Coordinates of all heavy atoms in Angstrom, one line a residue:
M1 N 12.0 6.5 -3.4 CA 11.5 6.1 -2.2 C 10.1 5.3 -2.2 O 9.3 5.7 -2.9 CB 11.3 7.3 -1.2 CG 11.1 6.9 0.3 SD 11.0 8.4 1.3 CE 9.6 8.0 2.1
A2 N 10.2 4.1 -1.7 CA 9.0 3.3 -1.7 C 7.9 3.9 -1.1 O 8.0 4.7 -0.2 CB 9.3 2.0 -1.1
Y3 N 6.6 3.5 -1.5 CA 5.4 4.1 -0.9 C 5.3 3.4 0.6 O 5.9 2.2 0.7 CB 4.2 3.7 -1.7 CG 3.9 4.8 -2.7 CD1 4.8 5.1 -3.7 CD2 2.8 5.6 -2.6 CE1 4.6 6.0 -4.7 CE2 2.5 6.6 -3.6 CZ 3.3 6.8 -4.6 OH 3.2 7.8 -5.5
V4 N 4.6 4.0 1.6 CA 4.4 3.5 2.9 C 3.0 3.7 3.2 O 2.4 4.7 2.9 CB 5.3 4.3 3.9 CG1 5.1 3.7 5.3 CG2 6.8 4.0 3.5
I5 N 2.3 2.7 3.9 CA 0.9 2.7 4.3 C 0.9 3.2 5.7 O 1.5 2.7 6.6 CB 0.3 1.5 4.1 CG1 0.2 1.1 2.6 CG2 -1.1 1.5 4.7 CD1 -0.3 -0.2 2.3
S6 N 0.2 4.3 6.0 CA 0.1 4.9 7.3 C -1.0 3.9 8.3 O -1.7 3.2 7.7 CB -0.5 6.3 7.3 OG -1.8 6.3 7.0
D7 N -1.1 4.5 9.4 CA -2.1 3.8 10.3 C -3.6 4.1 10.0 O -4.4 3.5 10.8 CB -1.8 4.2 11.8 CG -0.5 3.6 12.3 OD1 0.1 2.6 11.7 OD2 0.1 4.1 13.4
D8 N -3.7 5.0 9.1 CA -5.1 5.3 8.7 C -5.8 4.1 8.0 O -6.8 4.2 7.7 CB -5.2 6.5 7.9 CG -4.8 7.9 8.6 OD1 -4.9 7.9 9.8 OD2 -4.3 8.8 7.9
C9 N -4.9 3.2 7.6 CA -5.4 2.0 6.8 C -6.5 1.4 7.4 O -6.5 1.0 8.7 CB -4.3 1.0 6.6 SG -4.7 -0.5 5.8
I10 N -7.7 1.1 6.7 CA -8.8 0.5 7.2 C -8.9 -1.1 6.7 O -9.9 -1.7 6.8 CB -10.1 1.1 6.9 CG1 -10.3 1.3 5.4 CG2 -10.2 2.4 7.6 CD1 -11.6 1.9 5.0
M11 N -7.8 -1.6 6.2 CA -7.6 -3.0 5.7 C -8.7 -3.4 4.7 O -9.3 -4.5 4.8 CB -7.7 -3.9 6.9 CG -6.4 -3.5 7.9 SD -6.2 -4.8 9.1 CE -5.2 -6.1 8.0
C12 N -9.0 -2.5 3.7 CA -10.0 -2.9 2.7 C -9.5 -3.8 1.6 O -10.2 -4.5 1.0 CB -10.6 -1.6 2.0 SG -9.5 -0.7 1.0
G13 N -8.1 -3.7 1.5 CA -7.5 -4.6 0.4 C -7.5 -4.1 -1.0 O -6.9 -4.8 -1.8
A14 N -8.0 -2.9 -1.3 CA -8.0 -2.4 -2.6 C -6.7 -2.2 -3.2 O -6.5 -2.5 -4.4 CB -8.8 -1.0 -2.7
C15 N -5.8 -1.7 -2.5 CA -4.4 -1.4 -2.8 C -3.7 -2.8 -3.3 O -3.0 -2.7 -4.4 CB -3.6 -0.7 -1.8 SG -3.5 -1.7 -0.2
A16 N -3.8 -3.8 -2.5 CA -3.1 -5.0 -2.8 C -3.7 -5.5 -4.2 O -2.8 -6.1 -5.0 CB -3.4 -6.0 -1.7
A17 N -4.9 -5.4 -4.5 CA -5.6 -5.9 -5.7 C -5.0 -5.1 -6.9 O -4.8 -5.6 -8.0 CB -7.0 -5.8 -5.7
E18 N -4.6 -3.9 -6.7 CA -4.1 -2.9 -7.8 C -2.6 -3.0 -8.1 O -2.2 -2.7 -9.0 CB -4.5 -1.5 -7.5 CG -6.0 -1.2 -7.6 CD -6.5 -1.5 -9.1 OE1 -5.8 -1.0 -10.0 OE2 -7.6 -2.1 -9.2
C19 N -1.8 -3.3 -7.0 CA -0.3 -3.3 -7.1 C 0.1 -4.3 -8.2 O -0.1 -5.3 -8.2 CB 0.2 -3.7 -5.8 SG 2.1 -3.5 -5.8
P20 N 0.8 -3.7 -9.3 CA 1.2 -4.5 -10.4 C 2.4 -5.3 -10.1 O 2.7 -6.4 -10.9 CB 1.7 -3.3 -11.4 CG 2.1 -2.3 -10.6 CD 1.2 -2.3 -9.3
V21 N 3.0 -5.2 -8.9 CA 4.2 -6.1 -8.6 C 3.9 -6.9 -7.3 O 4.9 -7.4 -6.7 CB 5.5 -5.3 -8.5 CG1 5.9 -4.8 -9.8 CG2 5.4 -4.1 -7.5
S22 N 2.7 -6.9 -6.9 CA 2.3 -7.6 -5.6 C 3.1 -7.3 -4.5 O 3.6 -8.2 -3.7 CB 2.3 -9.1 -5.9 OG 1.5 -9.4 -7.0
A23 N 3.4 -6.0 -4.3 CA 4.3 -5.6 -3.2 C 3.5 -5.4 -1.8 O 4.2 -5.2 -0.8 CB 5.0 -4.2 -3.5
I24 N 2.1 -5.4 -1.9 CA 1.4 -5.2 -0.7 C 0.7 -6.5 -0.2 O 0.2 -7.3 -0.8 CB 0.3 -4.2 -1.1 CG1 0.9 -2.9 -1.8 CG2 -0.6 -3.7 0.2 CD1 -0.2 -2.0 -2.3
S25 N 0.8 -6.6 1.2 CA 0.2 -7.8 1.8 C -0.4 -7.3 3.1 O -0.2 -6.3 3.7 CB 1.4 -8.8 2.1 OG 2.4 -8.2 3.0
E26 N -1.3 -8.1 3.7 CA -1.9 -7.9 4.9 C -1.0 -8.0 6.1 O -0.4 -9.1 6.2 CB -3.1 -8.8 5.0 CG -4.1 -8.5 6.2 CD -5.3 -9.5 6.2 OE1 -5.6 -10.1 5.1 OE2 -5.9 -9.6 7.2
G27 N -0.9 -6.9 6.9 CA 0.0 -7.0 8.0 C -0.8 -7.0 9.3 O -2.0 -7.3 9.3
D28 N -0.2 -6.7 10.4 CA -0.8 -6.7 11.7 C -1.6 -5.3 12.0 O -0.9 -4.4 12.3 CB 0.2 -6.9 12.7 CG -0.4 -7.0 14.1 OD1 -1.7 -7.3 14.2 OD2 0.4 -7.0 15.1
G29 N -2.9 -5.2 11.6 CA -3.6 -4.0 11.8 C -3.7 -3.1 10.7 O -4.4 -2.2 10.7
K30 N -2.9 -3.3 9.6 CA -2.9 -2.6 8.5 C -2.1 -3.4 7.3 O -1.4 -4.3 7.7 CB -2.2 -1.2 8.7 CG -0.7 -1.3 9.0 CD -0.2 0.2 9.1 CE 1.4 0.2 9.2 NZ 2.0 1.5 9.3
Y31 N -2.4 -2.9 6.1 CA -1.6 -3.5 4.9 C -0.2 -2.9 4.9 O 0.0 -1.8 5.4 CB -2.4 -3.3 3.7 CG -3.4 -4.4 3.5 CD1 -4.5 -4.6 4.3 CD2 -3.3 -5.2 2.3 CE1 -5.4 -5.6 4.1 CE2 -4.3 -6.2 2.1 CZ -5.2 -6.3 2.9 OH -6.2 -7.4 2.8
V32 N 0.8 -3.6 4.4 CA 2.1 -3.3 4.4 C 2.7 -3.3 3.0 O 2.3 -4.2 2.2 CB 2.9 -3.9 5.4 CG1 2.5 -3.5 6.9 CG2 3.0 -5.4 5.2
I33 N 3.6 -2.5 2.7 CA 4.3 -2.6 1.4 C 5.7 -2.9 1.6 O 6.4 -2.4 2.4 CB 4.2 -1.0 0.6 CG1 2.9 -0.7 0.4 CG2 5.2 -1.1 -0.5 CD1 2.7 0.9 0.0
D34 N 6.1 -3.9 0.7 CA 7.5 -4.4 0.7 C 8.3 -3.2 -0.1 O 8.2 -3.1 -1.3 CB 7.6 -5.7 0.1 CG 9.2 -6.2 0.1 OD1 9.7 -6.2 1.2 OD2 9.6 -6.4 -1.0
A35 N 9.2 -2.6 0.6 CA 10.0 -1.5 0.1 C 10.9 -1.9 -1.0 O 11.1 -1.1 -2.0 CB 10.7 -0.8 1.2
D36 N 11.3 -3.2 -1.0 CA 12.3 -3.6 -2.0 C 11.6 -3.9 -3.4 O 12.2 -4.1 -4.3 CB 13.1 -4.8 -1.5 CG 14.1 -4.4 -0.4 OD1 14.5 -3.2 -0.4 OD2 14.3 -5.3 0.4
T37 N 10.2 -4.3 -3.2 CA 9.5 -4.7 -4.4 C 8.8 -3.5 -5.0 O 8.6 -3.5 -6.3 CB 8.4 -5.6 -3.9 OG1 9.1 -6.8 -3.3 CG2 7.7 -6.3 -5.3
C38 N 8.3 -2.5 -4.3 CA 7.6 -1.3 -4.7 C 8.4 -0.5 -5.9 O 9.6 -0.3 -5.6 CB 7.3 -0.4 -3.6 SG 6.4 1.1 -4.1
I39 N 7.6 -0.4 -6.9 CA 8.3 0.4 -8.0 C 7.7 1.9 -8.1 O 7.9 2.5 -9.1 CB 8.0 -0.4 -9.4 CG1 6.5 -0.4 -9.8 CG2 8.7 -1.7 -9.5 CD1 6.2 -0.9 -11.1
E40 N 7.1 2.3 -7.1 CA 6.6 3.7 -6.9 C 5.7 4.1 -8.0 O 5.8 5.3 -8.4 CB 7.9 4.6 -6.9 CG 8.9 4.2 -5.7 CD 10.2 4.9 -5.8 OE1 10.1 6.2 -6.1 OE2 11.2 4.3 -5.7
C41 N 4.7 3.2 -8.3 CA 3.8 3.6 -9.5 C 2.7 4.5 -9.0 O 2.0 5.2 -9.7 CB 3.3 2.4 -10.1 SG 2.1 1.5 -9.0
G42 N 2.4 4.5 -7.7 CA 1.3 5.3 -7.2 C -0.1 4.6 -7.2 O -1.1 5.3 -6.8
A43 N -0.3 3.5 -7.8 CA -1.6 2.9 -8.0 C -2.3 2.7 -6.7 O -3.5 2.9 -6.5 CB -1.5 1.5 -8.7
C44 N -1.6 2.3 -5.7 CA -2.2 2.0 -4.4 C -2.7 3.4 -3.7 O -3.9 3.4 -3.3 CB -1.1 1.5 -3.4 SG 0.5 2.4 -3.2
A45 N -2.0 4.5 -3.9 CA -2.4 5.7 -3.4 C -3.7 6.1 -4.1 O -4.7 6.8 -3.6 CB -1.4 6.8 -3.6
G46 N -3.8 5.8 -5.4 CA -5.0 6.3 -6.3 C -6.2 5.5 -6.0 O -7.3 6.1 -6.1
V47 N -6.1 4.4 -5.4 CA -7.4 3.6 -5.1 C -7.8 3.5 -3.6 O -8.9 3.2 -3.3 CB -7.2 2.0 -5.6 CG1 -7.1 2.0 -7.1 CG2 -6.2 1.5 -4.9
C48 N -6.8 4.0 -2.8 CA -7.1 3.9 -1.4 C -8.2 4.9 -0.9 O -8.1 6.1 -1.2 CB -5.8 4.2 -0.5 SG -6.2 4.1 1.2
P49 N -9.3 4.4 -0.2 CA -10.3 5.4 0.2 C -10.0 6.3 1.3 O -10.8 7.3 1.6 CB -11.4 4.4 0.6 CG -10.7 3.1 1.0 CD -9.4 3.0 0.1
V50 N -8.9 6.1 2.0 CA -8.6 6.9 3.2 C -7.3 7.6 3.0 O -6.7 8.3 3.9 CB -8.6 6.2 4.5 CG1 -10.0 5.6 4.8 CG2 -7.7 4.9 4.4
G51 N -6.7 7.4 1.8 CA -5.4 8.1 1.5 C -4.2 7.6 2.4 O -3.3 8.4 2.6
A52 N -4.2 6.4 2.7 CA -3.2 5.9 3.6 C -1.8 5.6 3.0 O -0.7 5.9 3.6 CB -3.6 4.5 4.2
P53 N -1.7 5.2 1.6 CA -0.4 5.1 1.1 C 0.2 6.4 0.7 O -0.5 7.3 0.0 CB -0.6 4.2 -0.2 CG -1.9 3.6 0.0 CD -2.7 4.7 0.8
S54 N 1.5 6.7 1.0 CA 2.2 7.9 0.5 C 3.6 7.7 0.4 O 4.2 6.7 0.9 CB 1.9 9.1 1.5 OG 2.6 8.8 2.7
N55 N 4.3 8.6 -0.4 CA 5.8 8.5 -0.4 C 6.5 9.7 -0.2 O 5.7 10.7 0.1 CB 6.2 7.8 -1.8 CG 6.0 8.9 -2.9 OD1 5.3 9.8 -2.8 ND2 6.6 8.6 -4.0
Ligands
SF4_101 FE1 2.7 -1.3 -5.6 FE2 2.8 0.9 -6.9 FE3 1.9 1.1 -4.5 FE4 4.4 0.5 -4.9 S1 3.3 2.4 -5.5 S2 3.1 -0.7 -3.4 S3 4.3 -0.7 -6.8 S4 0.8 0.0 -6.2
SF4_102 FE1 -5.4 0.1 3.6 FE2 -6.0 2.0 1.8 FE3 -4.8 -0.4 1.1 FE4 -7.4 -0.3 1.8 S1 -6.5 0.6 -0.1 S2 -5.9 -1.8 2.4 S3 -7.3 1.4 3.4 S4 -3.9 1.2 2.4

């Protein structure tokens, strides 16, 4: 199951920079993960300062 970013996102952009498949983009009020592209590596969860990405 692909990772999902919660409303806790503060839009710092750290996750998008770390994602190896560029699945993360800036959305409306938070960053969003493209579920079809995400390979579930967990890198976004590892760098997020507020723990917003989870699966
Ligand atoms: Fe990208 Fe990995 Fe996060 Fe999926 S789990 S969005 S592949 S960094
Ligand atoms: Fe949002 Fe966390 Fe990604 Fe920063 S690292 S943009 S707070 S999900």
Side-chain angles (χ1 to χ4, degrees):
M1 187 178 131
Y3 275 65
V4 176
I5 295 174
S6 76
D7 290 344
D8 291 339
C9 175
I10 57 172
M11 300 193 80
C12 71
C15 56
E18 289 296 320
C19 181
V21 293
S22 300
I24 308 175
S25 59
E26 190 175 339
D28 184 16
K30 66 177 183 178
Y31 273 60
V32 292
I33 295 172
D34 179 59
D36 292 331
T37 306
C38 176
I39 58 171
E40 304 167 45
C41 71
C44 51
V47 298
C48 180
V50 296
S54 64
N55 73 342

